[in-house]
Amino acid sequence: METTMKALTPPMGWNSWNRFLDVNHRADFEATTEEAVLEQARALVDSGLAAAGYQYVVMDDCYQSFRRDYRGRLVGHPHRFKSGIKYLADEIHSLGLKFGLYAVPGTQTCAQQYFDYHGLDLGSLNHERDDAQAFAEWGVDYLKYDWCRAHINDGLSAPEAFKKMADELAAVAPHIVYSISEYGLFESHLWAPEFANLWRTTDDLLPHWNSVMRTLDQQVELHPYSKPGHWNDPDMLQIGNGTLTKAENRSHMFLWAILNAPLMAGNDLTRMSDEVLDLLKHPGVIAIDQDWGGSQGRLVHDLDGVQIWQKPMSTGGVAGVLLNRNDSVEHFDLLAKYSEFDSVVDVWSGESIDGASVGLDAHDSIMFTAK
Ligand code: GLA
């Protein structure tokens, strides 16, 4: 199956899930409404993030009605999505954006299982053809297909279950970017590139430093598997959420960019600080995320809590992130490490690094290019 014409660079956008969680990181069904999603879509445009490349508005779990309609079709919740999913897609398209939606290969979505939320039939199991057709009719541009209720998955293995939907999409809506998620349980990097544009490599990323570092550690050795049209997905951004500090947000953004990760913002775009906005839309950082120089970033230095993640750039030279994982200030002689290059530039400030050693606050990073 030919999927290489889609997602030639890592997809960028906003996803509702991290935003519409309650304080215990659990799904908040009431918060997921058509007006709330549209408010975020408008903010994506008004903030300049859309112009910076954030194109997709992905509505994650919790939009569904309690049960399918009389024809067995998936429908939006009647109170919270009064105008229907197609209306929402049309509105998002009229803003110049693209529309993404969530579904699962089992019988229940992930949020349903936590809440024991009504019927058993909201997943796409044995509805793959009808659901793919509905996505096509609604104008869906991006599908997040999430491995939920795996144990009631009709005996299909994960590759089979995900491929089944891929085949249906290929038949009726081949333009849909196909994002799969099995939390890295079944080594999807080995088989997903055949039919998916991106695959999750880990469990959910939570908005605190330990989770960011744990997720990062799970990306080691995954660099051979991504390429244009097919990306490792270390999960959606938590920048601006939870307990992440300024330094931690910055490290999170720089690291996801060096990994060529999909950049799906998950914060409240109507209320973000300038600091968060500046980080999400920094052109130099985004350019590195979107650049394909032959490999995503990999770990090239790891000593005493200081790491360097590095990738080749299509324009020559390399881009890297110097990360301080420690709780105290660290100094590192970056120029000595990159002495074979003519210049080393701090991507954030645009200035050359010429001091003998750079200082990094706890959990902070420097993103640099060396040429
Ligand atoms: C899982 C996924 C999340 C989100 C929720 C929705 O936890 O990993 O990204 O889609 O399901 O219920």
Side-chain angles (χ1 to χ4, degrees):
M1 189 180 311
E2 187 49 67
T3 54
T4 48
M5 294 310 288
K6 296 181 282 181
L8 289 177
T9 60
M12 296 171 64
W14 176 87
N15 176 301
S16 61
W17 179 250
N18 289 339
R19 163 67 190 124
F20 296 140
L21 287 180
D22 67 16
V23 288
N24 300 313
H25 305 303
R26 299 192 118 197
D28 184 347
F29 290 87
E30 297 311 316
T32 310
T33 68
E34 68 188 21
E35 199 34 57
V37 174
L38 278 175
E39 206 187 0
Q40 298 295 326
R42 289 186 205 109
L44 198 62
V45 175
D46 295 344
S47 61
L49 284 170
Y54 292 80
Q55 278 191 307
Y56 291 94
V57 174
V58 183
M59 188 158 69
D60 210 285
D61 204 353
C62 301
Y63 66 87
Q64 310 88 341
S65 177
F66 296 157
R67 56 191 79 249
R68 286 170 179 268
D69 73 5
Y70 67 98
R71 293 174 302 169
R73 301 271 295 245
L74 205 54
V75 280
H77 186 278
H79 297 147
R80 292 181 283 111
F81 292 88
K82 284 199 182 66
S83 322
I85 305 299
K86 171 121 180 55
Y87 163 83
L88 183 62
D90 289 348
E91 288 293 299
I92 286 171
H93 288 148
S94 73
L95 291 167
L97 301 170
K98 294 186 170 169
F99 178 57
L101 202 59
Y102 170 96
V104 301
T107 55
Q108 275 191 308
T109 75
C110 275
Q112 275 184 280
Q113 66 182 330
Y114 296 130
F115 282 78
D116 202 15
Y117 180 66
H118 303 279
L120 263 172
D121 205 20
L122 294 186
S124 297
L125 180 64
N126 298 327
H127 293 283
E128 289 87 354
R129 179 150 301 175
D130 284 349
D131 289 355
Q133 186 66 44
F135 302 148
E137 285 168 19
W138 290 339
V140 170
D141 303 297
Y142 178 112
L143 178 68
K144 172 172 172 181
Y145 207 47
D146 185 32
W147 182 247
C148 264
R149 304 306 268 174
H151 60 289
I152 44 176
N153 223 34
D154 208 21
L156 292 183
S157 68
E160 287 166 339
F162 285 110
K163 172 90 165 48
K164 202 168 171 191
M165 180 55 91
D167 290 343
E168 298 299 344
L169 292 177
V172 293
H175 67 281
I176 290 182
V177 169
Y178 189 40
S179 153
I180 71 162
S181 158
E182 45 69 278
Y183 327 121
L185 290 175
F186 308 101
E187 300 190 300
S188 49
H189 53 278
L190 298 178
W191 43 267
E194 281 173 33
F195 55 79
N197 301 108
L198 52 154
W199 51 90
R200 277 269 294 276
T201 57
T202 64
D203 202 356
D204 293 15
L205 177 67
L206 301 177
H208 57 76
W209 181 245
N210 289 348
S211 181
V212 175
M213 287 301 97
R214 193 193 52 164
T215 303
L216 178 69
D217 290 340
Q218 290 171 283
Q219 311 313 309
V220 177
E221 304 302 340
L222 290 184
H223 55 87
Y225 303 100
S226 69
K227 57 177 185 282
H230 311 282
W231 306 103
N232 286 309
D233 175 9
D235 206 6
M236 306 168 296
L237 300 175
Q238 287 285 12
I239 291 165
N241 291 338
T243 61
L244 293 170
T245 65
K246 180 176 179 179
E248 292 167 351
N249 276 326
R250 184 162 41 213
S251 294
H252 177 10
M253 181 74 187
F254 291 174
L255 289 163
W256 264 233
I258 207 76
L259 293 169
N260 287 113
L263 298 179
M264 289 289 172
N267 57 315
D268 181 354
L269 303 178
T270 67
R271 264 174 258 276
M272 66 189 144
S273 64
D274 287 348
E275 186 179 299
V276 165
L277 177 59
D278 290 347
L279 185 55
L280 287 172
K281 75 173 180 193
H282 191 284
V285 180
I286 291 176
I288 289 171
D289 176 77
Q290 299 286 295
D291 183 79
W292 186 250
S295 166
Q296 72 168 55
R298 69 183 76 179
L299 185 60
V300 297
H301 171 92
D302 189 13
L303 191 66
D304 297 335
V306 175
Q307 293 185 332
I308 298 176
W309 291 74
Q310 182 186 302
K311 57 170 264 191
M313 292 292 288
S314 64
T315 47
V318 298
V321 176
L322 173 67
L323 165 69
N324 175 15
R325 300 176 64 131
N326 296 320
D327 296 333
S328 52
V329 176
E330 291 288 342
H331 292 272
F332 189 85
D333 194 345
L334 201 57
L335 287 189
K337 181 89 183 162
Y338 287 86
S339 57
E340 80 265 33
F341 292 91
D342 294 339
S343 71
V344 181
V345 174
D346 179 331
V347 172
W348 185 256
S349 66
E351 284 164 17
S352 292
I353 295 175
D354 35 31
S357 85
V358 290
L360 283 174
D361 287 341
H363 304 176
D364 210 348
S365 291
I366 286 178
M367 185 171 226
F368 60 91
T369 51
K371 241 184 143 168

Coordinates of all heavy atoms in Angstrom, one line a residue, residues 37-104:
V37 N -14.1 22.8 20.7 CA -13.1 22.4 19.7 C -12.9 23.6 18.7 O -11.8 23.9 18.3 CB -13.5 21.1 19.0 CG1 -12.6 20.8 17.9 CG2 -13.5 19.9 20.0
L38 N -14.0 24.2 18.3 CA -13.9 25.3 17.4 C -13.2 26.5 18.0 O -12.4 27.2 17.3 CB -15.3 25.7 16.9 CG -15.9 24.9 15.8 CD1 -17.4 25.3 15.5 CD2 -15.1 25.0 14.5
E39 N -13.4 26.7 19.3 CA -12.7 27.8 19.9 C -11.1 27.6 19.8 O -10.4 28.5 19.6 CB -13.1 27.8 21.4 CG -13.0 29.1 22.1 CD -13.2 28.9 23.6 OE1 -13.5 27.8 24.1 OE2 -13.1 29.9 24.3
Q40 N -10.7 26.3 20.0 CA -9.3 26.0 19.9 C -8.8 26.2 18.4 O -7.7 26.6 18.2 CB -9.0 24.6 20.4 CG -9.3 24.4 21.9 CD -8.5 25.2 22.8 OE1 -7.3 25.4 22.5 NE2 -9.0 25.7 23.9
A41 N -9.7 25.7 17.5 CA -9.3 25.9 16.1 C -9.1 27.3 15.7 O -8.1 27.7 15.0 CB -10.4 25.2 15.2
R42 N -10.0 28.2 16.2 CA -9.9 29.6 15.9 C -8.6 30.2 16.5 O -7.9 30.9 15.9 CB -11.1 30.4 16.4 CG -12.3 30.1 15.6 CD -13.5 31.0 16.0 NE -14.7 30.3 15.7 CZ -15.6 29.8 16.6 NH1 -15.4 29.9 17.9 NH2 -16.7 29.2 16.1
A43 N -8.3 29.7 17.7 CA -7.1 30.2 18.4 C -5.8 29.7 17.7 O -4.8 30.4 17.7 CB -7.1 29.7 19.9
L44 N -5.9 28.5 17.1 CA -4.8 28.0 16.3 C -4.4 29.0 15.2 O -3.3 29.3 14.9 CB -5.1 26.6 15.7 CG -4.0 25.7 15.3 CD1 -3.1 25.3 16.4 CD2 -4.6 24.5 14.6
V45 N -5.5 29.5 14.6 CA -5.2 30.5 13.5 C -4.8 31.9 14.1 O -3.8 32.4 13.7 CB -6.5 30.7 12.7 CG1 -6.4 31.8 11.6 CG2 -6.9 29.4 12.0
D46 N -5.6 32.4 15.1 CA -5.3 33.7 15.6 C -4.0 33.8 16.3 O -3.4 34.9 16.3 CB -6.4 34.1 16.7 CG -7.8 34.2 16.0 OD1 -7.8 34.3 14.8 OD2 -8.8 34.2 16.7
S47 N -3.5 32.8 16.9 CA -2.2 32.8 17.6 C -1.0 32.8 16.6 O 0.1 33.0 17.0 CB -2.1 31.6 18.5 OG -2.1 30.4 17.7
G48 N -1.3 32.5 15.3 CA -0.2 32.4 14.4 C 0.4 31.0 14.3 O 1.3 30.7 13.5
L49 N -0.1 30.1 15.1 CA 0.4 28.7 15.1 C 0.1 28.0 13.7 O 0.9 27.2 13.2 CB -0.2 27.9 16.2 CG 0.5 28.2 17.6 CD1 -0.3 27.5 18.7 CD2 1.9 27.8 17.6
A50 N -1.1 28.3 13.2 CA -1.5 27.6 11.9 C -0.5 28.1 10.9 O 0.0 27.3 10.1 CB -2.9 28.0 11.6
A51 N -0.2 29.4 10.8 CA 0.7 29.9 9.8 C 2.1 29.3 10.1 O 2.9 29.2 9.1 CB 0.8 31.4 9.9
A52 N 2.4 28.9 11.3 CA 3.8 28.3 11.6 C 3.8 26.8 11.2 O 4.9 26.2 11.3 CB 4.1 28.5 13.1
G53 N 2.7 26.3 10.8 CA 2.7 24.9 10.3 C 1.7 24.0 11.0 O 1.5 22.8 10.6
Y54 N 1.1 24.4 12.1 CA 0.1 23.6 12.9 C -1.2 23.6 12.1 O -2.0 24.5 12.2 CB 0.0 24.1 14.3 CG 1.2 24.0 15.2 CD1 2.2 24.9 15.1 CD2 1.3 22.9 16.1 CE1 3.4 24.8 15.9 CE2 2.5 22.8 16.9 CZ 3.5 23.7 16.7 OH 4.6 23.6 17.5
Q55 N -1.4 22.5 11.4 CA -2.5 22.4 10.5 C -3.7 21.6 10.9 O -4.9 21.9 10.6 CB -2.1 21.6 9.2 CG -1.3 22.4 8.2 CD -1.2 21.5 7.0 OE1 -0.7 20.3 7.1 NE2 -1.6 22.0 5.9
Y56 N -3.5 20.5 11.6 CA -4.5 19.6 12.0 C -5.2 19.9 13.3 O -4.5 20.2 14.3 CB -4.0 18.1 12.1 CG -3.5 17.6 10.7 CD1 -2.2 17.7 10.3 CD2 -4.4 17.0 9.9 CE1 -1.8 17.2 9.1 CE2 -4.0 16.5 8.6 CZ -2.7 16.6 8.3 OH -2.3 16.1 7.0
V57 N -6.5 19.9 13.3 CA -7.3 19.9 14.6 C -7.8 18.5 14.8 O -8.7 18.1 14.0 CB -8.4 21.0 14.5 CG1 -9.3 20.9 15.8 CG2 -7.8 22.4 14.3
V58 N -7.3 17.8 15.7 CA -7.7 16.4 15.9 C -8.6 16.3 17.1 O -8.2 16.6 18.2 CB -6.5 15.5 16.1 CG1 -6.9 14.0 16.2 CG2 -5.5 15.7 14.9
M59 N -9.8 15.8 16.9 CA -10.7 15.6 18.0 C -10.5 14.2 18.5 O -10.8 13.2 17.8 CB -12.2 15.8 17.6 CG -13.1 15.8 18.8 SD -14.6 16.7 18.4 CE -15.3 15.6 17.2
D60 N -10.1 14.1 19.7 CA -9.7 12.7 20.3 C -11.0 12.1 20.8 O -12.1 12.5 20.5 CB -8.6 12.9 21.3 CG -7.7 11.7 21.5 OD1 -8.2 10.8 22.1 OD2 -6.6 11.8 21.0
D61 N -10.9 11.2 21.8 CA -12.0 10.5 22.4 C -13.0 11.4 23.0 O -12.7 12.6 23.3 CB -11.3 9.6 23.4 CG -12.2 8.4 23.7 OD1 -13.3 8.3 23.2 OD2 -11.7 7.5 24.5
C62 N -14.2 10.9 23.2 CA -15.3 11.5 24.0 C -16.3 12.3 23.2 O -17.2 13.0 23.7 CB -14.7 12.4 25.1 SG -13.7 11.6 26.3
Y63 N -16.2 12.3 21.9 CA -17.1 13.1 21.1 C -18.3 12.2 20.7 O -19.4 12.7 20.3 CB -16.5 13.5 19.7 CG -16.1 12.4 18.8 CD1 -17.0 11.9 17.9 CD2 -14.8 11.8 18.9 CE1 -16.6 10.8 17.1 CE2 -14.4 10.8 18.1 CZ -15.3 10.2 17.2 OH -15.0 9.2 16.4
Q64 N -18.3 10.9 20.9 CA -19.3 10.0 20.4 C -20.6 10.1 21.2 O -20.6 10.3 22.4 CB -18.8 8.5 20.4 CG -17.4 8.3 19.8 CD -16.3 8.5 20.8 OE1 -16.4 9.1 21.9 NE2 -15.1 8.0 20.5
S65 N -21.6 9.7 20.5 CA -22.9 9.5 21.1 C -22.8 8.2 22.0 O -21.9 7.4 21.8 CB -24.0 9.3 20.1 OG -25.2 9.0 20.7
F66 N -23.7 7.9 22.9 CA -23.7 6.7 23.7 C -23.8 5.4 22.9 O -23.4 4.4 23.3 CB -24.8 6.7 24.7 CG -24.6 7.8 25.7 CD1 -25.7 8.3 26.4 CD2 -23.4 8.4 26.0 CE1 -25.6 9.3 27.4 CE2 -23.3 9.5 26.9 CZ -24.4 9.9 27.6
R67 N -24.5 5.6 21.8 CA -24.7 4.4 20.9 C -24.7 4.8 19.5 O -24.9 5.9 19.1 CB -25.9 3.6 21.3 CG -27.2 4.4 21.2 CD -28.4 3.6 21.9 NE -28.3 3.7 23.3 CZ -28.1 2.7 24.1 NH1 -27.8 1.5 23.7 NH2 -28.0 2.9 25.4
R68 N -24.5 3.8 18.6 CA -24.5 4.0 17.2 C -26.0 4.3 16.7 O -26.9 4.0 17.5 CB -24.0 2.8 16.4 CG -22.5 2.7 16.5 CD -22.0 1.4 16.0 NE -20.5 1.4 16.1 CZ -19.7 1.9 15.2 NH1 -20.2 2.2 14.0 NH2 -18.4 1.9 15.4
D69 N -26.2 4.9 15.6 CA -27.5 5.2 15.2 C -28.2 3.9 14.6 O -27.6 2.9 14.6 CB -27.6 6.4 14.2 CG -27.1 6.0 12.8 OD1 -26.8 4.8 12.6 OD2 -27.0 6.9 11.9
Y70 N -29.5 4.1 14.2 CA -30.2 2.9 13.8 C -29.6 2.1 12.7 O -29.9 0.9 12.5 CB -31.7 3.3 13.5 CG -31.9 4.1 12.3 CD1 -32.2 3.5 11.1 CD2 -31.6 5.5 12.3 CE1 -32.3 4.3 9.9 CE2 -31.7 6.2 11.2 CZ -32.1 5.6 10.0 OH -32.2 6.4 8.8
R71 N -28.8 2.8 11.9 CA -28.1 2.1 10.8 C -26.7 1.6 11.2 O -26.0 1.1 10.4 CB -27.9 3.1 9.6 CG -29.2 3.6 8.9 CD -28.9 4.6 7.9 NE -28.2 5.8 8.5 CZ -27.6 6.7 7.8 NH1 -27.6 6.7 6.5 NH2 -27.0 7.7 8.5
G72 N -26.4 1.7 12.5 CA -25.1 1.2 12.9 C -24.0 2.2 12.7 O -22.8 1.9 12.8
R73 N -24.4 3.5 12.4 CA -23.3 4.5 12.1 C -22.9 5.2 13.4 O -23.7 5.5 14.2 CB -23.8 5.5 11.1 CG -24.3 4.9 9.7 CD -23.1 4.8 8.8 NE -22.7 6.1 8.4 CZ -22.8 6.6 7.2 NH1 -23.3 5.9 6.2 NH2 -22.3 7.8 6.9
L74 N -21.6 5.5 13.4 CA -21.0 6.3 14.5 C -21.6 7.7 14.4 O -21.6 8.3 13.3 CB -19.5 6.3 14.3 CG -18.5 6.5 15.4 CD1 -18.8 5.5 16.5 CD2 -17.1 6.3 14.8
V75 N -22.0 8.3 15.5 CA -22.5 9.7 15.5 C -21.9 10.4 16.7 O -21.6 9.9 17.7 CB -24.1 9.7 15.5 CG1 -24.7 9.5 14.2 CG2 -24.6 8.8 16.5
G76 N -21.9 11.7 16.5 CA -21.5 12.6 17.6 C -22.5 12.7 18.7 O -23.7 12.4 18.5
H77 N -22.1 13.0 19.9 CA -23.0 13.1 21.0 C -24.1 14.2 20.7 O -23.7 15.3 20.3 CB -22.2 13.5 22.3 CG -23.1 13.5 23.5 ND1 -23.9 14.5 23.9 CD2 -23.2 12.5 24.4 CE1 -24.5 14.2 25.0 NE2 -24.1 13.0 25.3
P78 N -25.3 13.8 20.9 CA -26.4 14.7 20.4 C -26.4 16.1 21.1 O -26.9 17.1 20.5 CB -27.7 13.9 20.7 CG -27.3 12.9 21.7 CD -25.8 12.6 21.5
H79 N -26.0 16.2 22.3 CA -26.0 17.5 23.0 C -24.8 18.3 22.8 O -24.8 19.5 22.6 CB -26.3 17.3 24.5 CG -27.6 16.7 24.8 ND1 -27.8 15.9 25.9 CD2 -28.8 16.8 24.1 CE1 -29.0 15.5 25.9 NE2 -29.6 16.0 24.8
R80 N -23.7 17.6 22.8 CA -22.4 18.3 22.7 C -21.9 18.6 21.3 O -21.1 19.4 21.0 CB -21.3 17.6 23.5 CG -21.6 17.6 25.0 CD -20.6 16.9 25.9 NE -20.8 15.5 25.9 CZ -19.9 14.6 25.3 NH1 -18.8 15.1 24.7 NH2 -20.1 13.3 25.4
F81 N -22.5 17.8 20.4 CA -22.2 18.0 18.9 C -23.5 18.1 18.2 O -23.8 17.3 17.3 CB -21.3 16.8 18.4 CG -19.9 16.9 19.1 CD1 -19.6 16.3 20.3 CD2 -18.9 17.7 18.5 CE1 -18.4 16.4 20.9 CE2 -17.7 17.8 19.1 CZ -17.4 17.2 20.3
K82 N -24.2 19.1 18.6 CA -25.6 19.3 18.0 C -25.6 19.4 16.5 O -26.6 18.9 15.9 CB -26.2 20.6 18.6 CG -26.6 20.6 20.0 CD -27.6 21.7 20.3 CE -28.0 21.8 21.7 NZ -27.0 22.1 22.7
S83 N -24.6 20.0 15.9 CA -24.7 20.2 14.5 C -24.1 19.0 13.7 O -24.0 19.1 12.5 CB -23.9 21.5 14.1 OG -24.2 22.5 15.1
G84 N -23.5 18.0 14.4 CA -23.0 16.9 13.7 C -21.5 17.0 13.4 O -21.0 18.1 13.4
I85 N -20.9 15.9 13.2 CA -19.4 15.9 13.0 C -19.1 16.6 11.7 O -18.0 17.3 11.5 CB -18.8 14.5 13.0 CG1 -19.2 13.8 14.4 CG2 -17.3 14.5 12.9 CD1 -18.7 14.4 15.6
K86 N -19.9 16.4 10.7 CA -19.6 17.0 9.4 C -19.6 18.5 9.5 O -18.7 19.2 8.8 CB -20.6 16.6 8.3 CG -20.6 17.3 7.0 CD -20.3 16.3 5.9 CE -20.2 17.0 4.5 NZ -19.3 18.0 4.4
Y87 N -20.5 19.1 10.2 CA -20.5 20.5 10.4 C -19.2 21.0 11.0 O -18.5 22.0 10.6 CB -21.6 20.9 11.4 CG -21.5 22.3 12.0 CD1 -21.9 23.4 11.3 CD2 -20.9 22.5 13.3 CE1 -21.7 24.7 11.8 CE2 -20.8 23.7 13.8 CZ -21.2 24.8 13.1 OH -21.0 26.1 13.6
L88 N -18.7 20.3 12.0 CA -17.4 20.6 12.7 C -16.3 20.6 11.7 O -15.4 21.5 11.6 CB -17.2 19.7 13.9 CG -15.9 20.0 14.7 CD1 -16.0 21.3 15.3 CD2 -15.8 18.9 15.8
A89 N -16.3 19.5 10.9 CA -15.2 19.3 9.9 C -15.3 20.5 8.9 O -14.2 21.1 8.6 CB -15.4 18.0 9.1
D90 N -16.5 20.9 8.5 CA -16.6 22.0 7.5 C -16.1 23.3 8.1 O -15.5 24.1 7.4 CB -18.1 22.1 7.1 CG -18.6 21.0 6.2 OD1 -17.7 20.2 5.7 OD2 -19.8 20.9 6.0
E91 N -16.5 23.5 9.4 CA -16.0 24.8 10.0 C -14.5 24.8 10.1 O -13.9 25.9 9.9 CB -16.6 24.9 11.4 CG -18.1 25.2 11.4 CD -18.5 26.5 10.9 OE1 -18.0 27.5 11.5 OE2 -19.2 26.6 9.9
I92 N -14.0 23.7 10.5 CA -12.5 23.7 10.6 C -11.8 23.9 9.2 O -10.9 24.6 9.1 CB -12.1 22.3 11.3 CG1 -12.4 22.5 12.8 CG2 -10.6 22.0 11.1 CD1 -12.3 21.2 13.6
H93 N -12.4 23.2 8.2 CA -11.9 23.5 6.9 C -12.0 24.9 6.4 O -11.1 25.5 5.8 CB -12.6 22.6 5.9 CG -12.2 21.1 6.0 ND1 -13.1 20.1 5.7 CD2 -11.1 20.5 6.4 CE1 -12.5 18.9 5.9 NE2 -11.3 19.2 6.3
S94 N -13.1 25.5 6.8 CA -13.3 26.9 6.4 C -12.3 27.9 7.1 O -12.1 29.0 6.6 CB -14.7 27.4 6.6 OG -14.9 27.6 8.0
L95 N -11.7 27.4 8.1 CA -10.6 28.2 8.8 C -9.2 27.9 8.1 O -8.2 28.4 8.5 CB -10.5 27.8 10.2 CG -11.6 28.3 11.2 CD1 -11.5 27.6 12.5 CD2 -11.6 29.8 11.3
G96 N -9.3 27.1 7.1 CA -8.0 26.7 6.4 C -7.2 25.6 7.0 O -6.1 25.4 6.7
L97 N -7.9 24.9 8.0 CA -7.2 23.9 8.7 C -7.7 22.5 8.3 O -8.7 22.4 7.5 CB -7.6 24.0 10.2 CG -7.1 25.4 10.8 CD1 -7.7 25.5 12.2 CD2 -5.6 25.5 10.8
K98 N -7.1 21.4 8.8 CA -7.5 20.1 8.5 C -8.1 19.4 9.7 O -7.8 19.8 10.8 CB -6.3 19.3 8.0 CG -5.9 19.8 6.6 CD -4.8 19.0 6.0 CE -4.6 19.5 4.6 NZ -3.4 19.0 4.0
F99 N -9.0 18.4 9.5 CA -9.7 17.8 10.6 C -9.3 16.4 10.8 O -9.3 15.6 9.9 CB -11.2 17.9 10.2 CG -12.1 17.3 11.3 CD1 -12.1 17.8 12.6 CD2 -13.0 16.3 10.9 CE1 -12.9 17.2 13.5 CE2 -13.8 15.7 11.9 CZ -13.8 16.2 13.2
G100 N -9.1 16.1 12.1 CA -8.7 14.7 12.5 C -9.7 14.2 13.5 O -10.3 15.0 14.3
L101 N -9.8 12.9 13.6 CA -10.8 12.2 14.5 C -10.2 11.0 15.1 O -9.3 10.4 14.5 CB -12.0 11.9 13.6 CG -13.3 11.7 14.4 CD1 -13.7 12.9 15.2 CD2 -14.4 11.3 13.4
Y102 N -10.8 10.6 16.2 CA -10.3 9.4 16.9 C -11.2 8.2 16.8 O -12.5 8.4 16.8 CB -10.2 9.8 18.4 CG -10.0 8.8 19.4 CD1 -8.7 8.5 19.9 CD2 -11.0 8.0 20.0 CE1 -8.4 7.5 20.9 CE2 -10.8 7.0 20.9 CZ -9.5 6.8 21.4 OH -9.3 5.9 22.3
A103 N -10.7 7.0 16.7 CA -11.5 5.8 16.7 C -10.6 4.7 17.2 O -9.4 4.8 17.4 CB -12.1 5.5 15.3
V104 N -11.3 3.5 17.5 CA -10.5 2.4 18.1 C -10.9 1.1 17.3 O -12.0 0.9 16.9 CB -10.8 2.2 19.6 CG1 -10.4 3.5 20.3 CG2 -12.2 1.8 19.8

